[in-house]
Amino acid sequence: MTEVFTGNFTQQEPIPEAAIEAAVRIMRSGRLHRYNLLPGEVGEVSSLEAEFAAFTGAKYCLAVASGGYALACALRALGVQPGDKVLTNAFTLAPVPGAIASVGAVPVFVEVTEDLIIDLDDLEAKTGQARVLMLSHMRGHICDMDRLMAICDAAGVRVVEDCAHTMGASWAGVPSGRHGAIGCYSTQTYKHINSGEGGLLVSDDPEVMARAVVLSGSYMLFGRHGAAPPKEMFERIKYETPNISGRMDHLRAAILRIQLADLPAQIRRWNALYTRMEAGLGDTSGLRLVPRPQAEAYVGSSFQFLLPGARPDVVRAFIAACAARGVELKWFGADEPVAFTSRHDSWRYAPPQSLPKTDRVLAGLIDLRLPLTFAEADIDLIARIIRDEWLRYR
Ligand SMILES: *Cc1c(COP(=O)(O)O)cnc(C)c1O
């Protein structure tokens, strides 16, 4: 009998009951806007900022409307101007080059290696072109951050970390988002904590963070923030910085606070699924798993493997066969962008760039989500289906 998987790759867990109760409490109060506070009240958004600052060990934190907004806000806070070039990974999600384009800047793509991390040699060769690197820890793979920071520091390049897939991860014990000048996170439904939409920025730089706070739409109410720089930092900045509204509200913050407290336990569950998938797909001829370095503490919320050198028609047939058995795989080698999956050559607002190494990697790159609604038995079944079909089609 041919086994079929009937689960849903986009089904997240429900919002925890305690978070639902917190959300109802906020709605009953009618005070949803972050600055709509009673005398002496801290509010959910400031509390979330303080808790996320503590979680990452950052001095300052700002909650905003989306991960993409956080990235664009970070670039503005660093003074990126229209026409400036910004370095970024050639392998990332569309909101990353999109954030660069949103400030009128121009993405300069850096190659990716077959371990799905930024190619540090290519980065070193390109640092002369830009003052800022937007480093995407795409799909949770973290490069050698010590070497990356040494390259960028030597070249005077400031680093914004896109931690959409690394909230709760670390490199050599340092939380992801804490190596560069600013760390940006997403709380969109498919990330590690879920408020539908939402984002967070962290930084230790008081001037950069004061700018980010005003940019996010603080009007002149920055004094009501719980994890912002001291008031003096805003004296000049408040006149120079435009208000580009992208605030978070109490409703989302309330449901995120409960989930943030649960995150370490959730990470253990994700990693149990990830390890199970690694075991299920290990030692399959022609199918390469991505090695995870010792220094990297990752969050296994998605899984990638490579089919090095596979012909496109073979990959297409394999993906269709898996889909027919209920296993939804994403392929970064497809000619046309599909749903969340797109490639540097689909982002035609950016100048075309030659990235032969990245193209070779993406041609054989397969990606799947590991939602926490999957049980370990589901993972075993998915792995069996992938393995069977690959061995049939290769
Ligand atoms: C999700 C995501 C973002 C931010 O996306 P939003 O939908 O704007 O929250 C940024 N980078 C990567 C790699 C992502 O996957």
Side-chain angles (χ1 to χ4, degrees):
M1 196 193 77
T2 312
E3 291 182 302
V4 174
F5 179 64
T6 55
N8 181 344
F9 282 81
T10 54
Q11 181 60 57
Q12 302 299 83
E13 291 193 296
I15 299 301
E17 283 304 320
I20 294 173
E21 280 167 26
V24 171
R25 206 163 51 239
I26 298 293
M27 287 191 282
R28 291 217 162 98
S29 78
R31 294 188 305 277
L32 273 68
H33 191 279
R34 73 166 294 163
Y35 301 123
N36 190 194
L37 299 168
L38 295 174
E41 190 184 14
V42 176
E44 295 291 331
V45 181
S46 275
S47 298
L48 172 67
E49 288 167 342
E51 288 158 9
F52 196 72
F55 178 75
T56 53
K59 278 202 184 124
Y60 311 117
C61 175
L62 171 69
V64 295
S66 75
Y69 183 90
L71 294 171
C73 182
L75 294 177
R76 288 194 177 95
L78 289 176
V80 173
Q81 298 293 318
D84 285 358
K85 289 179 174 171
V86 174
L87 295 159
T88 193
N89 310 50
F91 169 50
T92 185
L93 210 75
V96 177
I100 296 170
S102 80
V103 302
V106 181
V108 174
F109 297 118
V110 181
E111 296 265 34
V112 70
T113 73
E114 59 174 11
D115 294 342
L116 306 186
I117 51 178
I118 193 164
D119 182 328
L120 294 175
D121 296 327
D122 193 43
L123 173 65
E124 198 158 22
K126 288 175 176 165
T127 47
Q129 299 185 42
R131 289 175 38 242
V132 173
L133 163 67
M134 184 168 273
L135 172 67
S136 183
H137 303 296
M138 180 62 171
R139 290 297 184 260
H141 298 276
I142 305 178
C143 71
D144 178 344
M145 288 304 297
D146 301 317
R147 184 168 165 222
L148 177 128
M149 288 310 302
I151 291 169
C152 289
D153 288 345
V157 169
R158 301 201 79 185
V159 179
V160 176
E161 291 181 69
D162 166 24
C163 305
H165 305 155
T166 55
M167 182 190 287
S170 61
W171 177 266
V174 177
S176 188
R178 299 289 298 127
H179 294 85
I182 307 180
C184 298
Y185 306 80
S186 169
T187 64
Q188 191 235 76
T189 291
Y190 300 111
K191 314 298 161 103
H192 299 169
I193 54 177
N194 173 11
S195 58
E197 302 287 356
L200 292 153
L201 289 92
V202 298
S203 181
D204 282 351
D205 183 324
E207 187 171 336
V208 163
M209 193 49 104
R211 281 206 203 98
V213 167
V214 175
L215 282 163
S216 76
S218 66
Y219 303 101
M220 291 298 148
L221 298 168
F222 41 80
R224 296 189 191 170
H225 280 243
K231 277 219 177 85
E232 311 78 77
M233 262 338 290
F234 292 88
E235 278 315 314
R236 179 173 46 86
I237 281 163
K238 70 184 178 192
Y239 299 109
E240 294 174 356
T241 311
N243 179 322
I244 304 177
S245 290
R247 293 170 301 272
M248 182 172 281
D249 57 86
H250 291 315
L251 197 51
R252 292 183 206 181
I255 70 174
L256 289 172
R257 291 180 66 200
I258 307 274
Q259 295 175 67
L260 181 61
D262 285 345
L263 184 55
Q266 300 290 77
I267 291 173
R268 285 193 289 278
R269 292 175 60 209
W270 260 309
N271 288 352
L273 298 181
Y274 187 97
T275 313
R276 195 95 181 179
M277 187 64 85
E278 255 182 341
L281 293 179
D283 295 322
T284 304
S285 165
L287 187 153
R288 181 179 182 277
L289 303 188
V290 181
R292 307 299 313 228
Q294 186 85 60
E296 181 197 35
Y298 58 85
V299 181
S301 54
S302 69
F303 196 92
Q304 294 72 42
F305 58 87
L306 293 158
L307 305 172
R311 291 206 325 266
D313 55 319
V314 170
V315 179
R316 251 188 300 271
F318 159 67
I319 289 172
C322 288
R325 295 177 65 182
V327 174
E328 227 179 274
L329 302 176
K330 294 176 203 162
W331 179 35
F332 281 90
D335 292 329
E336 282 298 316
V338 181
F340 289 101
T341 308
S342 62
R343 215 169 50 188
H344 67 89
D345 54 347
S346 339
W347 307 324
R348 293 186 196 161
Y349 50 83
Q353 293 165 52
S354 165
L355 297 147
K357 192 167 180 172
T358 301
D359 293 343
R360 212 157 45 239
V361 170
L362 297 186
L365 176 59
I366 308 288
D367 175 47
L368 62 155
R369 285 205 181 100
L370 302 179
L372 289 175
T373 48
F374 287 2
E376 293 197 357
D378 294 325
I379 301 291
D380 293 345
L381 173 56
I382 293 166
R384 276 200 302 279
I385 292 173
I386 292 174
R387 200 183 163 99
D388 279 4
E389 296 300 335
W390 174 245
L391 295 176
R392 192 188 323 272
Y393 282 93
R394 64 183 292 255

